């Protein structure tokens, strides 16, 4: 592999038996999976094609990355960050979908070649749909190379798999959420998106999630990497639960991070714009393009769901609740990372 840094981590194929067992439930992947580096980050097979290219991607001083484990409040944080960095430009926010304002750096790894052919067949009756499909599925680093500054970048990759000079060059906002709520939300998204194509119940999904056998896991290693860098001047670490409990305070923290000042009235207007009800009805942020292109399934839950903290209780039985408590406690034992609402 060529590049200034090359790629420092081993990429190992997940054994065929395990991969086949997982693909029985997750229909979007057709080849298999890989685990990366000593922490064993879990990805679809196509990550092999992107790993070194992403790691060696040029970073610009005015780049803004929003990073998280999926379903941790990423979309909410993206819009919050974009609005503050762009001085509350509601007109542009309404006019340009979030997917265009924030290329998704590694999304292409989730689009298997066979699935891509299905998407093309579904959209070949419209030149505009084919244009949109090409834009959505183009590797994020290719989109970003053509994007004028300042660039806003969405990623779910852990810091160790992003360009090593990122934090010394650009800004990154990381958002974390209770893993039980993450699992419930990601379960619904996995059922919604054909790129994951999950067919199974929540209990089976929870097993894959906590066992590190699902995209972007292991969950706690992902969080810990960002938590360890939380004092870096170019990284802002947020908790979803803090945004949910006191959004104006979170807005002020983000504004301070970008050295911006807004009046109380401007902050109140932004919080109204970001309220869950307005967010659910905002076509610019609810990934409507995925429905139009049939990348998301009809009849499944919407991309923006309830935005509720603690909703996991509706999905976990007593056994799963005990499993989760042990799993969380075990993973927090060697760190001072604590979720603001948990007493562990």
């Amino acid at each position: 592999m060529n590049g200034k840094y090359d790629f420092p981590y081993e990429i190992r194929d997940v054994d065929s038996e395990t991969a086949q067992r997982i693909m029985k439930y997750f229909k979007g992947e057709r080849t298999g999976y890989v685990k990366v580096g000593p922490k064993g980050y879990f990805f679809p097979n196509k990550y092999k094609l992107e790993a070194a290219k992403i790691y060696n991607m040029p970073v610009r001083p005015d780049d803004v990355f929003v990073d998280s484990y999926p379903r941790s409040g990423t979309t909410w944080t993206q819009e919050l960050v974009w609005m503050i960095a762009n001085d509350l430009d509601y007109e542009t926010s309404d006019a340009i979908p979030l997917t265009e304002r924030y290329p998704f750096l590694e999304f292409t790894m989730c689009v298997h070649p066979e699935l891509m052919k299905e998407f093309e067949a579904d959209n070949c009756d419209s030149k505009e749909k084919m244009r949109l499909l090409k834009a959505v599925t183009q590797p994020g680093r290719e989109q970003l190379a053509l994007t004028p500054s300042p660039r806003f970048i969405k990623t779910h990759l852990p810091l160790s798999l992003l360009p090593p000079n990122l934090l010394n060059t650009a800004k990154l906002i990381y958002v974390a959420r209770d893993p039980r709520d993450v699992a419930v939300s990601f379960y619904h998204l996995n059922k919604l998106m054909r790129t994951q194509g999950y067919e199974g119940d929540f209990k089976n999904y929870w097993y894959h999630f906590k066992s590190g056998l699902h995209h972007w896991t292991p969950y706690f290693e992902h969080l810990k990497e960002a938590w360890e860098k939380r004092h870096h001047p170019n990284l802002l670490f947020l908790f979803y639960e803090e945004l949910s409990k006191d959004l104006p305070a979170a807005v002020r923290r983000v504004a301070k991070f970008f050295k911006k000042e807004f009046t109380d009235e401007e902050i109140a207007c932004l919080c109204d714009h970001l309220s869950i009800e307005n967010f659910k009805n905002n076509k610019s942020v609810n990934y409507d393009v995925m429905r139009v292109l049939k990348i998301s399934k009809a009849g499944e839950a919407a991309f923006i769901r309830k935005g509720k903290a603690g909703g996991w209780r509706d999905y976990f039985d007593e056994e799963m609740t005990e499993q989760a408590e042990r799993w969380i406690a075990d993973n927090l034992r060697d760190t001072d990372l604590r979720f603001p609402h948990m007493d562990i």
Side-chain angles (χ1 to χ4, degrees):
M1 298 178 182
N2 297 320
K4 182 178 178 183
Y5 300 103
D6 295 328
F7 190 71
Y9 303 112
E10 179 187 9
I11 300 177
R12 309 174 301 282
D13 288 334
V14 171
D15 70 272
S16 179
E17 183 180 344
T18 301
Q20 291 297 326
R21 188 170 68 246
I22 296 169
M23 287 188 289
K24 185 173 74 172
Y25 298 104
F26 296 88
K27 305 292 188 180
E29 179 56 33
R30 316 286 170 83
T31 300
Y33 301 94
V34 296
K35 287 195 171 188
V36 182
K39 296 173 182 175
Y41 286 113
F42 187 96
F43 299 113
N45 187 268
K46 267 183 77 177
Y47 176 73
K48 292 178 181 178
L49 303 177
E50 293 295 309
K53 293 173 182 176
I54 289 174
Y55 193 80
N56 292 285
M57 182 183 80
V59 177
R60 302 175 191 170
D62 50 4
D63 283 346
V64 176
F65 286 73
V66 170
D67 190 11
S68 69
Y69 189 85
R71 308 308 281 179
S72 297
T74 321
T75 306
W76 206 14
T77 305
Q78 284 177 260
E79 181 70 356
L80 164 56
V81 165
W82 192 93
M83 289 296 292
I84 285 175
N86 288 279
D87 298 317
L88 310 182
D89 185 354
Y90 291 97
E91 185 177 348
T92 303
S93 167
D94 290 344
I96 302 176
L98 199 65
T99 47
E100 292 184 33
R101 286 182 276 141
Y102 277 88
F104 186 172
L105 184 55
E106 70 272 17
F107 178 66
T108 186
M109 76 174 185
C110 299
V111 185
H112 191 277
E114 291 178 15
L115 195 59
M116 185 64 185
K117 289 179 182 177
E118 295 173 18
F119 292 156
E120 289 171 345
D122 289 338
N123 292 285
C124 64
D125 60 335
S126 164
K127 286 185 178 179
E128 176 58 15
K129 287 183 182 178
M130 290 297 285
R131 183 194 70 78
L132 283 170
L133 180 64
K134 183 179 178 181
V136 167
T137 57
Q138 181 186 17
R141 54 184 173 74
E142 292 182 7
Q143 296 178 49
L144 289 162
L146 303 173
T147 302
S149 295
R151 303 183 303 183
F152 292 81
I153 302 162
K154 170 187 173 179
T155 184
H156 293 310
L157 291 175
L159 290 181
S160 59
L161 302 184
L162 292 169
N165 64 332
L166 195 162
L167 286 185
N168 290 329
T169 307
K171 289 187 179 298
L172 183 143
I173 296 87
Y174 189 96
V175 59
R177 186 183 189 184
D178 184 320
R180 296 165 295 192
D181 280 329
V182 167
V184 169
S185 186
F186 207 16
Y187 160 70
H188 284 288
L189 187 73
N190 273 257
K191 290 174 64 180
L192 172 69
M193 300 295 289
R194 291 168 62 191
T195 46
Q196 271 74 35
Y198 179 67
E199 296 180 5
D201 60 18
F202 177 70
K203 195 163 192 173
N204 181 62
Y205 178 84
W206 167 247
Y207 164 78
H208 287 88
F209 175 79
K210 73 177 179 61
S211 301
L213 296 173
H214 190 37
H215 295 32
W216 294 283
T217 60
Y219 172 83
F220 277 105
E221 294 299 335
H222 199 299
L223 265 64
K224 288 174 187 177
E225 287 194 18
W227 182 253
E228 288 166 4
K229 301 283 189 183
R230 69 190 183 281
H231 298 306
H232 193 291
N234 281 339
L235 188 146
L236 178 64
F237 194 105
L238 300 171
F239 285 103
Y240 178 92
E241 291 78 13
E242 291 176 329
L243 272 70
S244 184
K245 183 178 179 181
D246 191 347
L247 186 56
V251 167
R252 290 185 176 93
R253 280 190 68 198
V254 176
K256 183 178 179 181
F257 184 64
F258 283 98
K259 297 181 171 59
K260 304 274 187 175
E261 291 188 11
F262 302 105
T263 66
D264 290 346
E265 184 179 358
E266 287 172 326
I267 290 173
C269 287
L270 178 57
C271 290
D272 183 63
H273 174 74
L274 295 168
S275 70
I276 190 64
E277 286 308 314
N278 284 334
F279 220 57
K280 286 167 72 172
N281 296 317
N282 184 343
K283 287 191 174 183
S284 181
V285 302
N286 64 17
Y287 284 63
D288 193 55
V289 66
M290 297 301 190
R291 181 189 55 77
V292 170
L293 298 174
K294 298 180 181 177
I295 293 174
S296 61
K297 297 178 186 177
E300 293 290 350
F303 186 87
I304 305 295
R305 291 180 63 249
K306 298 179 180 179
K308 176 184 173 184
W312 62 268
R313 292 179 178 84
D314 298 334
Y315 291 80
F316 281 65
D317 61 25
E318 187 175 340
E319 178 191 19
M320 294 165 68
T321 298
E322 291 175 358
Q323 279 180 355
E325 287 175 355
R326 287 195 304 271
W327 178 64
I328 292 168
D330 287 346
N331 279 281
L332 293 182
R333 188 166 291 129
D334 65 348
T335 177
D336 61 353
L337 169 63
R338 294 293 181 271
F339 293 88
H341 64 298
M342 287 188 194
D343 185 18
I344 290 178

